[in-house]
Amino acid sequence: MTTSEASQPSAGTPLLDLQALVVAVRRRRRLWCSLALLGLLVGVAVAVLLPPPPTAVTKVLVTHQEDQPNDTGTLIRTDVELLRTTRIAEKALRSLDSPQTPEDFLQDYRATGVTNNLLRIEVTGDSDVEAVARAKALADAFVADHVRRMRQTAKAESKALLDQRDRMRDELAEVNKEIGGRSSAQRDPKASARTESLFARRAELNSRIAEFDQRAAEARTGTPRIIAGTQIVDVPRAVQHSLPGAAATNAVIGLLLGLVLGLAVAAVGAVVADRPVLRREIAANLGASVIAELPGAALRPGRLWRLRRTRAARTRLTATLARTVRGSAEPLSLLELGCPRGTSVIALDVAGELTPELPVVIIDGLPGTQLAHRRRRSGAPDVVSGDRADAGPPQERRLGVGSVAPGTAWADLRHLGTRTVLVVRAGHGSAAWLHTVARHLADQRIPVIGVVLIDPDPGDRSDGALWDGPTIALRRGRSERSAGHNGAGRRQPERLPMWAAGAPDNDQEAR
């Protein structure tokens, strides 16, 4: 792939890299695990410190005159809302001789429609005895109110039917009177037709009067059925609360809520921070291949339980860097980003590997004095400060240790070494800062041999090698180092970092 091809953005690049997002969220497992644990503890604390008040429950069977098999629950929902009125609350408080206001009492109970005809009432109180008494008074008040309303409805319906029957009877009396006033001796055909219509009207009125009598009787008969059907089917009883059960339930709920919140915060933070964690992202942003990686635990002292492969990876890295220093007269520097302690350990390991063969001096360009403290503990070669970098004899091999963290004095990096290996902690620097590091190293004409990745994600399977050119992060037109020759002197194309892709050369613009 040529440089011009590399400078063109890929059309298949996703807007959000799910793999990088999953890795970034997994690396922040301390955050969401801590929030999940906090939610669990808060749930247990709520169950212990805020126990539910004493509660009593009862069930009432409610019979409606308009009950239908296909009822969708409208009638029972109406009963629930009626129970939540101040009229019912006031009647219950009056039976209890309680000075509490109905408005306040409404906050102490709730009703739920279990089925179309079954009502569940829950009431709280200062004690179990008080809660049971309040539940019974409330249920009795509701049943009495429901029976009263049903009686009034049946009475009003029966009265309306009887009134209509009486009007029919009055009209029947008039019809009978008119029929009796006609002489049976009249033979007029018109008079006979009128008489026949009166007889038909009298028969109709008799039929309707009998119908209204029957309907009035049915209305009166249905009321006892409704009254007998509406009753308390489950006597009020106190609800027993289990503290371990409540604590376990609240703990599970708090754990799930904390876990979800932690994952959301970690995901949003990973997207907003834009900190590369995959090998391929770090290599592409710095324009240099990942030549080695070490877990963070491999660089900490006193890890007796360290795995054998971790020790082997540290040994291989030390041998690789030692060969690099041994095979070239140019000084090498280790520049850290997010891992000054680990870089100090690596520098001391490399110096200890080279000390039996040739004189080595470590140039300390790190902020603070941690490299000197580690040197005194481990007995490593001499460590000098950056201002004494050029004071040593020429036969000494110099190994510089510096930092490219924010606030770095970029002009002093070349005094640490004309070549460098970047020691980067995964997920520490943002993509913009990695671009800045590559740009400044290119301006200082310091080739980047490779990147040592500290604390990589164990599940990262991406490739950190750049296959389309040398792993030197120099801008176009600025490289003075040969990229190597392939075949008959043909030069391989240079690999550009992401910040330089498609960027015009400043010298060419000036020309």
Side-chain angles (χ1 to χ4, degrees):
M1 183 172 63
T2 62
T3 302
S4 60
E5 293 174 348
S7 62
Q8 298 177 357
S10 174
T13 302
L15 181 62
L16 181 63
D17 192 346
L18 293 181
Q19 181 184 4
L21 178 62
V22 171
V23 172
V25 171
R26 185 166 60 241
R27 290 180 61 85
R28 302 187 68 181
R29 54 186 174 272
R30 290 186 179 180
L31 171 64
W32 46 267
C33 287
S34 300
L35 289 179
L37 180 60
L38 178 62
L40 186 146
L41 296 178
V42 169
V44 174
V46 168
V48 174
L49 301 179
L50 299 176
T55 305
V57 62
T58 184
K59 291 181 182 179
V60 178
L61 180 63
V62 185
T63 306
H64 307 94
Q65 190 170 0
E66 301 84 2
D67 276 337
Q68 297 293 334
N70 57 351
D71 181 35
T72 59
T74 304
L75 297 177
I76 197 67
R77 287 197 296 269
T78 303
D79 293 331
V80 170
E81 295 303 323
L82 286 174
L83 186 64
R84 297 284 303 167
T85 58
T86 56
R87 183 179 65 181
I88 304 297
E90 184 178 3
K91 289 182 179 179
L93 292 174
R94 191 182 300 117
S95 64
L96 293 171
D97 295 332
S98 174
Q100 189 178 11
T101 61
E103 290 78 8
D104 295 337
F105 186 43
L106 289 175
Q107 309 301 322
D108 295 339
Y109 70 88
R110 65 176 181 176
T112 307
V114 181
T115 64
N116 290 343
N117 297 97
L118 191 61
L119 186 66
R120 175 187 173 93
I121 303 175
E122 297 180 10
V123 188
T124 60
D126 295 335
S127 63
D128 290 341
V129 175
E130 181 182 359
V132 170
R134 300 177 92 181
K136 186 177 187 306
L138 188 61
D140 290 339
F142 174 77
V143 170
D145 183 79
H146 182 78
V147 169
R148 181 185 59 80
R149 286 186 290 105
M150 292 299 102
R151 282 178 174 173
Q152 290 179 351
T153 302
K155 183 178 180 181
E157 184 179 359
S158 176
K159 185 178 182 302
L161 293 173
L162 293 177
D163 291 343
Q164 188 69 14
R165 182 204 62 182
D166 293 340
R167 286 193 294 270
M168 294 293 177
R169 283 181 175 178
D170 294 340
E171 185 178 354
L172 178 62
E174 294 178 0
V175 170
N176 289 332
K177 182 179 180 180
E178 186 176 356
I179 292 174
R182 289 184 176 274
S183 174
S184 60
Q186 296 178 355
R187 300 300 181 184
D188 187 1
K190 293 183 178 181
S192 298
R194 176 61 179 168
T195 302
E196 291 294 334
S197 64
L198 290 175
F199 278 106
R201 179 60 178 167
R202 183 174 64 178
E204 180 184 358
L205 290 175
N206 287 327
S207 175
R208 297 187 64 182
I209 289 172
E211 180 184 355
F212 280 120
D213 282 334
Q214 181 180 1
R215 291 174 60 183
E218 289 177 354
R220 290 191 299 270
T221 304
T223 304
R225 178 180 59 86
I226 296 175
I227 294 174
T230 303
Q231 56 183 320
I232 300 175
V233 294
D234 190 4
V235 295
R237 68 182 188 281
V239 178
Q240 300 298 327
H241 296 285
S242 174
L243 181 59
T249 303
N250 291 352
V252 172
I253 295 175
L255 176 66
L256 295 178
L257 292 179
L259 181 61
V260 172
L261 178 62
L263 291 175
V265 171
V268 173
V271 173
V272 173
D274 190 20
R275 299 179 184 272
V277 293
L278 300 178
R279 299 188 193 94
R280 66 164 183 263
E281 292 181 338
I282 295 176
N285 288 318
L286 290 175
S289 298
V290 176
I291 60 176
E293 58 183 32
L294 284 179
L299 301 173
R300 299 171 190 168
R303 297 287 181 175
L304 299 178
W305 58 89
R306 189 177 301 153
L307 298 177
R308 180 181 302 176
R309 60 182 179 183
T310 303
R311 296 195 300 267
R314 179 173 173 179
T315 302
R316 286 196 302 270
L317 174 62
T318 302
T320 300
L321 295 180
R323 282 195 302 269
T324 303
V325 175
R326 190 186 300 113
S328 176
E330 297 183 30
L332 178 70
S333 64
L334 301 178
L335 302 180
E336 65 85 21
L337 180 59
C339 48
R341 295 182 179 179
T343 307
S344 302
V345 172
I346 294 174
L348 293 174
D349 289 345
V350 173
E353 181 75 14
L354 294 173
T355 298
E357 305 174 11
L358 46 88
V360 179
V361 61
I362 300 177
I363 303 173
D364 185 9
L366 290 174
T369 60
Q370 55 186 349
L371 183 58
H373 290 324
R374 291 181 179 275
R375 180 254 175 186
R376 285 197 297 268
R377 289 199 302 266
S378 60
D382 293 337
V383 177
V384 299
S385 59
D387 54 357
R388 298 173 52 191
D390 299 330
Q395 65 272 15
E396 282 185 341
R397 294 297 176 90
R398 294 182 298 170
L399 179 61
V401 182
S403 175
V404 288
T408 298
W410 301 102
D412 296 337
L413 294 181
R414 192 167 180 83
H415 296 285
L416 298 177
T418 56
R419 301 175 303 158
T420 187
V421 172
L422 295 176
V423 184
V424 181
R425 181 176 295 278
H428 178 78
S430 63
W433 185 251
L434 295 181
H435 296 168
T436 302
V437 170
R439 184 184 301 113
H440 280 289
L441 291 178
D443 289 339
Q444 296 296 321
R445 304 183 187 278
I446 302 176
V448 180
I449 297 176
V451 178
V452 176
L453 191 60
I454 303 299
D455 197 17
D457 186 79
D460 183 11
R461 297 296 181 266
S462 62
D463 189 4
L466 303 181
W467 300 100
D468 54 347
T471 58
I472 299 175
L474 296 178
R475 283 187 287 179
R476 185 187 309 168
R478 299 267 186 169
S479 176
E480 296 181 358
R481 178 180 177 87
S482 174
H485 297 277
N486 183 12
R490 194 177 76 176
R491 189 172 179 178
Q492 296 180 355
E494 295 183 359
R495 167 68 177 178
L496 299 179
M498 292 178 63
W499 57 266
D505 186 6
N506 295 335
D507 295 341
Q508 293 179 359
E509 288 181 353
R511 288 196 294 270

